[in-house]
Protein backbone atom coordinates (compact mmCIF):
# COMPACT_ATOMS: atom_id res chain seq x y z
CA UNK A 1 0.00 0.00 0.00
CA UNK A 2 0.98 3.60 -0.47
CA UNK A 3 0.10 4.87 2.99
CA UNK A 4 1.64 4.71 6.45
CA UNK A 5 1.12 1.30 7.98
CA UNK A 6 1.04 0.63 11.71
CA UNK A 7 0.88 -2.66 13.57
CA UNK A 8 -0.69 -4.00 15.58
CA UNK A 9 -3.94 -2.05 15.34
CA UNK A 10 -4.85 -3.03 18.88
CA UNK A 11 -2.66 -4.10 21.74
CA UNK A 12 -3.72 -5.14 25.21
CA UNK A 13 -1.03 -5.60 27.83
CA UNK A 14 -0.87 -6.06 31.56
CA UNK A 15 0.71 -3.35 33.64
CA UNK A 16 4.43 -3.90 33.84
CA UNK A 17 4.78 -5.63 30.49
CA UNK A 18 6.87 -4.29 27.65
CA UNK A 19 5.25 -3.48 24.29
CA UNK A 20 6.57 -2.69 20.83
CA UNK A 21 4.64 -0.76 18.20
CA UNK A 22 5.67 -0.76 14.57
CA UNK A 23 5.42 1.93 11.90
CA UNK A 24 6.10 1.46 8.21
CA UNK A 25 6.22 4.92 6.60
CA UNK A 26 5.54 5.93 3.04
CA UNK A 27 8.43 4.81 0.87
CA UNK A 28 11.01 7.55 0.42
CA UNK A 29 9.79 9.71 3.28
CA UNK A 30 12.77 10.89 5.27
CA UNK A 31 10.83 12.29 8.22
CA UNK A 32 8.97 10.12 10.70
CA UNK A 33 7.00 11.24 13.72
CA UNK A 34 5.35 9.50 16.65
CA UNK A 35 2.38 11.05 18.45
CA UNK A 36 0.33 9.96 21.44
CA UNK A 37 -3.41 10.62 21.39
CA UNK A 38 -5.27 10.25 24.65
CA UNK A 39 -9.01 9.71 24.60
CA UNK A 40 -10.82 12.88 23.61
CA UNK A 41 -7.62 14.80 22.97
CA UNK A 42 -5.54 15.88 20.02
CA UNK A 43 -2.31 14.10 19.15
CA UNK A 44 0.74 15.09 21.18
CA UNK A 45 4.23 14.90 19.78
CA UNK A 46 6.56 12.22 21.11
CA UNK A 47 9.59 12.03 18.85
CA UNK A 48 10.96 12.78 15.38
CA UNK A 49 13.39 11.01 13.06
CA UNK A 50 15.13 12.28 9.99
CA UNK A 51 16.24 9.13 8.22
CA UNK A 52 17.83 7.02 10.97
CA UNK A 53 18.71 9.94 13.21
CA UNK A 54 16.45 10.71 16.13
CA UNK A 55 16.62 14.49 16.10
CA UNK A 56 13.98 15.29 18.67
CA UNK A 57 12.72 13.17 21.54
CA UNK A 58 11.51 16.00 23.71
CA UNK A 59 7.96 14.68 23.85
CA UNK A 60 8.75 11.25 25.25
CA UNK A 61 7.03 11.24 28.66
CA UNK A 62 9.57 9.12 30.50
CA UNK A 63 12.66 7.00 30.05
CA UNK A 64 10.34 4.01 29.70
CA UNK A 65 9.64 5.18 26.15
CA UNK A 66 12.18 4.40 23.47
CA UNK A 67 12.01 4.74 19.70
CA UNK A 68 14.31 3.63 16.94
CA UNK A 69 14.57 3.71 13.16
CA UNK A 70 17.80 1.84 12.50
CA UNK A 71 17.74 1.77 8.71
CA UNK A 72 15.88 4.99 8.11
CA UNK A 73 12.65 3.28 7.15
CA UNK A 74 10.60 1.19 9.60
CA UNK A 75 10.37 2.55 13.12
CA UNK A 76 9.54 0.91 16.41
CA UNK A 77 8.21 2.61 19.52
CA UNK A 78 8.90 0.59 22.63
CA UNK A 79 7.35 1.13 26.01
CA UNK A 80 8.90 -0.66 28.95
CA UNK A 81 7.16 -1.53 32.22
CA UNK A 82 3.85 -0.19 30.95
CA UNK A 83 1.59 1.82 33.22
CA UNK A 84 -2.14 2.46 32.96
CA UNK A 85 -1.52 6.05 31.94
CA UNK A 86 0.22 4.75 28.82
CA UNK A 87 -3.17 3.69 27.46
CA UNK A 88 -3.73 5.77 24.33
CA UNK A 89 -3.65 5.65 20.57
CA UNK A 90 -0.14 5.90 19.18
CA UNK A 91 0.01 7.53 15.78
CA UNK A 92 2.86 7.45 13.35
CA UNK A 93 3.26 10.00 10.57
CA UNK A 94 5.76 10.46 7.79
CA UNK A 95 6.60 13.30 5.45
CA UNK A 96 9.01 14.10 2.68
CA UNK A 97 10.59 16.97 4.57
CA UNK A 98 10.28 19.20 7.58
CA UNK A 99 7.32 20.99 9.11
CA UNK A 100 6.23 22.73 5.94
CA UNK A 101 5.58 19.38 4.29
CA UNK A 102 2.29 17.65 5.10
CA UNK A 103 2.46 14.75 7.49
CA UNK A 104 0.69 11.57 6.44
CA UNK A 105 -0.72 9.56 9.31
CA UNK A 106 -1.25 5.87 9.86
CA UNK A 107 -4.41 4.50 11.46
CA UNK A 108 -2.66 4.18 14.81
CA UNK A 109 -2.21 1.50 17.43
CA UNK A 110 -4.71 1.53 20.26
CA UNK A 111 -2.87 0.45 23.41
CA UNK A 112 -4.80 -0.63 26.46
CA UNK A 113 -2.98 -1.36 29.70
CA UNK A 114 -4.91 -3.46 32.20
CA UNK B 1 4.96 28.78 23.51
CA UNK B 2 2.70 27.67 20.76
CA UNK B 3 -0.87 26.75 21.40
CA UNK B 4 -3.92 25.90 19.38
CA UNK B 5 -7.45 26.48 20.62
CA UNK B 6 -10.55 24.90 19.18
CA UNK B 7 -13.29 26.43 21.31
CA UNK B 8 -16.09 24.17 20.13
CA UNK B 9 -15.89 20.65 21.51
CA UNK B 10 -18.97 19.42 19.65
CA UNK B 11 -21.02 20.88 16.83
CA UNK B 12 -24.23 19.53 15.34
CA UNK B 13 -25.44 20.66 11.93
CA UNK B 14 -28.15 19.56 9.57
CA UNK B 15 -27.20 17.94 6.31
CA UNK B 16 -26.98 20.60 3.63
CA UNK B 17 -26.33 23.41 6.09
CA UNK B 18 -23.15 25.45 6.12
CA UNK B 19 -20.35 24.76 8.58
CA UNK B 20 -17.65 26.79 10.27
CA UNK B 21 -15.18 25.28 12.73
CA UNK B 22 -13.09 27.71 14.70
CA UNK B 23 -9.36 27.58 15.32
CA UNK B 24 -7.19 30.13 17.08
CA UNK B 25 -3.46 29.84 17.49
CA UNK B 26 -0.78 31.50 19.50
CA UNK B 27 2.55 31.95 17.77
CA UNK B 28 4.81 34.95 17.21
CA UNK B 29 5.66 34.55 13.55
CA UNK B 30 3.67 33.32 10.60
CA UNK B 31 2.82 29.74 11.34
CA UNK B 32 2.20 26.80 9.12
CA UNK B 33 -1.46 25.87 9.60
CA UNK B 34 -3.27 22.63 8.91
CA UNK B 35 -6.69 21.09 9.24
CA UNK B 36 -6.98 17.33 9.62
CA UNK B 37 -10.04 15.09 9.85
CA UNK B 38 -10.23 11.85 11.81
CA UNK B 39 -12.97 9.27 11.43
CA UNK B 40 -13.49 6.77 14.27
CA UNK B 41 -10.68 4.24 14.46
CA UNK B 42 -8.77 5.93 11.70
CA UNK B 43 -5.70 8.09 11.41
CA UNK B 44 -5.71 11.75 10.49
CA UNK B 45 -6.33 12.84 6.92
CA UNK B 46 -5.07 16.21 5.72
CA UNK B 47 -7.87 18.50 4.52
CA UNK B 48 -5.83 21.59 3.70
CA UNK B 49 -2.79 23.61 4.65
CA UNK B 50 -1.60 27.20 4.74
CA UNK B 51 2.04 28.20 4.46
CA UNK B 52 2.00 31.63 2.81
CA UNK B 53 0.37 33.62 0.04
CA UNK B 54 -3.35 33.66 -0.55
CA UNK B 55 -5.08 33.61 2.81
CA UNK B 56 -8.04 31.62 1.52
CA UNK B 57 -7.03 28.04 0.88
CA UNK B 58 -9.03 25.31 -0.75
CA UNK B 59 -8.87 21.73 0.38
CA UNK B 60 -10.31 18.35 -0.36
CA UNK B 61 -13.96 17.36 0.04
CA UNK B 62 -15.16 20.92 -0.60
CA UNK B 63 -13.54 22.43 2.50
CA UNK B 64 -11.83 25.79 2.65
CA UNK B 65 -10.12 27.80 5.37
CA UNK B 66 -9.17 31.41 5.79
CA UNK B 67 -6.05 32.65 7.56
CA UNK B 68 -6.67 35.90 9.42
CA UNK B 69 -3.47 37.19 10.96
CA UNK B 70 -5.21 40.01 12.85
CA UNK B 71 -7.42 37.50 14.63
CA UNK B 72 -4.86 34.67 14.88
CA UNK B 73 -7.48 32.44 13.36
CA UNK B 74 -7.70 29.74 10.74
CA UNK B 75 -11.36 28.75 10.58
CA UNK B 76 -12.55 25.85 8.47
CA UNK B 77 -15.67 26.23 6.35
CA UNK B 78 -17.88 24.19 4.09
CA UNK B 79 -20.95 25.62 2.34
CA UNK B 80 -23.03 22.44 2.42
CA UNK B 81 -22.34 19.58 4.81
CA UNK B 82 -22.83 15.94 3.83
CA UNK B 83 -23.59 13.11 6.27
CA UNK B 84 -20.18 11.63 5.49
CA UNK B 85 -18.49 14.71 6.96
CA UNK B 86 -19.34 13.54 10.47
CA UNK B 87 -15.96 13.08 12.15
CA UNK B 88 -13.44 14.75 14.47
CA UNK B 89 -11.64 17.78 13.10
CA UNK B 90 -8.25 18.93 14.30
CA UNK B 91 -6.47 22.19 13.70
CA UNK B 92 -2.67 22.06 13.90
CA UNK B 93 0.16 24.54 13.76
CA UNK B 94 3.82 24.14 12.91
CA UNK B 95 6.67 26.59 13.04
CA UNK B 96 9.91 27.21 11.22
CA UNK B 97 12.76 25.41 12.89
CA UNK B 98 10.58 22.92 14.68
CA UNK B 99 9.79 19.44 13.57
CA UNK B 100 6.45 18.62 15.07
CA UNK B 101 2.91 19.88 14.89
CA UNK B 102 0.87 21.21 17.78
CA UNK B 103 -2.73 20.06 17.67
CA UNK B 104 -5.89 21.47 19.14
CA UNK B 105 -8.19 19.26 21.17
CA UNK B 106 -10.51 18.76 18.25
CA UNK B 107 -14.12 19.48 17.34
CA UNK B 108 -16.51 16.60 16.91
CA UNK B 109 -18.99 17.17 14.09
CA UNK B 110 -22.37 15.45 14.10
CA UNK B 111 -24.54 15.70 10.99
CA UNK B 112 -28.26 15.15 11.35
CA UNK B 113 -30.65 14.36 8.49
Amino acid sequence: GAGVSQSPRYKVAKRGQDVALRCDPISGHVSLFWYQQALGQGPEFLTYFQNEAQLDKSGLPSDRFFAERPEGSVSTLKIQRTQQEDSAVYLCASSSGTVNQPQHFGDGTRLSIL
Amino acid sequence: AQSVTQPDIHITVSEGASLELRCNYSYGATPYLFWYVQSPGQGLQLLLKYFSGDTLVQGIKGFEAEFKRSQSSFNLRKPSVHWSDAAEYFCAVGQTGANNLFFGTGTRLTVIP
Side-chain angles (χ1 to χ4, degrees):
Chain A
V4 177
S5 178
Q6 292 188 246
S7 61
R9 287 297 314 277
Y10 305 92
K11 177 69 177 178
V12 179
K14 294 182 178 179
R15 189 175 56 181
Q17 289 182 330
D18 298 347
V19 297
L21 313 180
R22 175 189 169 103
C23 173
D24 206 330
I26 292 173
S27 178
H29 277 190
V30 299
S31 297
L32 185 145
F33 307 82
W34 283 98
Y35 292 85
Q36 181 190 60
Q37 186 176 21
L39 189 64
Q41 300 297 313
E44 292 193 358
F45 171 76
L46 294 177
T47 187
Y48 161 68
F49 290 86
Q50 185 175 70
N51 297 307
E52 69 278 6
Q54 189 176 20
L55 299 185
D56 188 346
K57 53 182 180 179
S58 61
L60 296 177
S62 79
D63 58 7
R64 297 186 295 104
F65 287 70
F66 173 75
E68 60 183 5
R69 194 186 186 198
E71 297 179 359
S73 178
V74 172
S75 177
T76 304
L77 177 67
K78 298 179 180 177
I79 309 174
Q80 297 175 327
R81 305 180 304 281
T82 53
Q83 303 293 316
Q84 280 195 318
E85 61 263 28
D86 300 334
S87 296
V89 175
Y90 291 85
L91 294 167
C92 177
S94 70
S95 78
S96 58
T98 53
V99 71
N100 63 346
Q101 298 299 319
Q103 295 183 21
H104 301 267
F105 284 80
D107 288 340
T109 294
R110 181 175 295 278
L111 176 64
S112 298
I113 305 300
L114 305 179
Chain B
Q2 293 187 88
S3 67
V4 180
T5 302
Q6 294 182 248
D8 304 306
I9 296 174
H10 183 206
I11 284 182
T12 300
V13 299
S14 298
E15 191 168 16
S18 64
L19 171 70
E20 182 169 28
L21 303 182
R22 295 183 291 167
C23 173
N24 293 93
Y25 65 90
S26 172
Y27 177 57
T30 300
Y32 303 120
L33 294 162
F34 306 82
W35 274 100
Y36 283 87
V37 61
Q38 186 177 38
S39 297
Q42 304 294 313
L44 282 73
Q45 180 183 21
L46 180 67
L47 288 176
L48 48 76
K49 60 186 185 291
Y50 172 79
F51 294 153
S52 64
D54 193 348
T55 56
L56 184 63
V57 293
Q58 302 297 321
I60 62 171
K61 304 184 179 184
F63 286 92
E64 66 178 25
E66 186 171 12
F67 170 60
K68 293 185 177 180
R69 183 189 303 274
S70 62
Q71 299 177 19
S72 296
S73 70
F74 189 58
N75 294 349
L76 182 71
R77 301 194 294 250
K78 186 170 185 178
S80 178
V81 172
H82 188 263
W83 64 267
S84 60
D85 294 325
E88 190 91 19
Y89 290 80
F90 292 95
C91 181
V93 61
Q95 66 177 68
T96 304
N99 304 305
N100 57 296
L101 298 178
F102 291 88
F103 285 85
T105 52
T107 297
R108 182 161 62 93
L109 175 65
T110 297
V111 180
I112 56 176

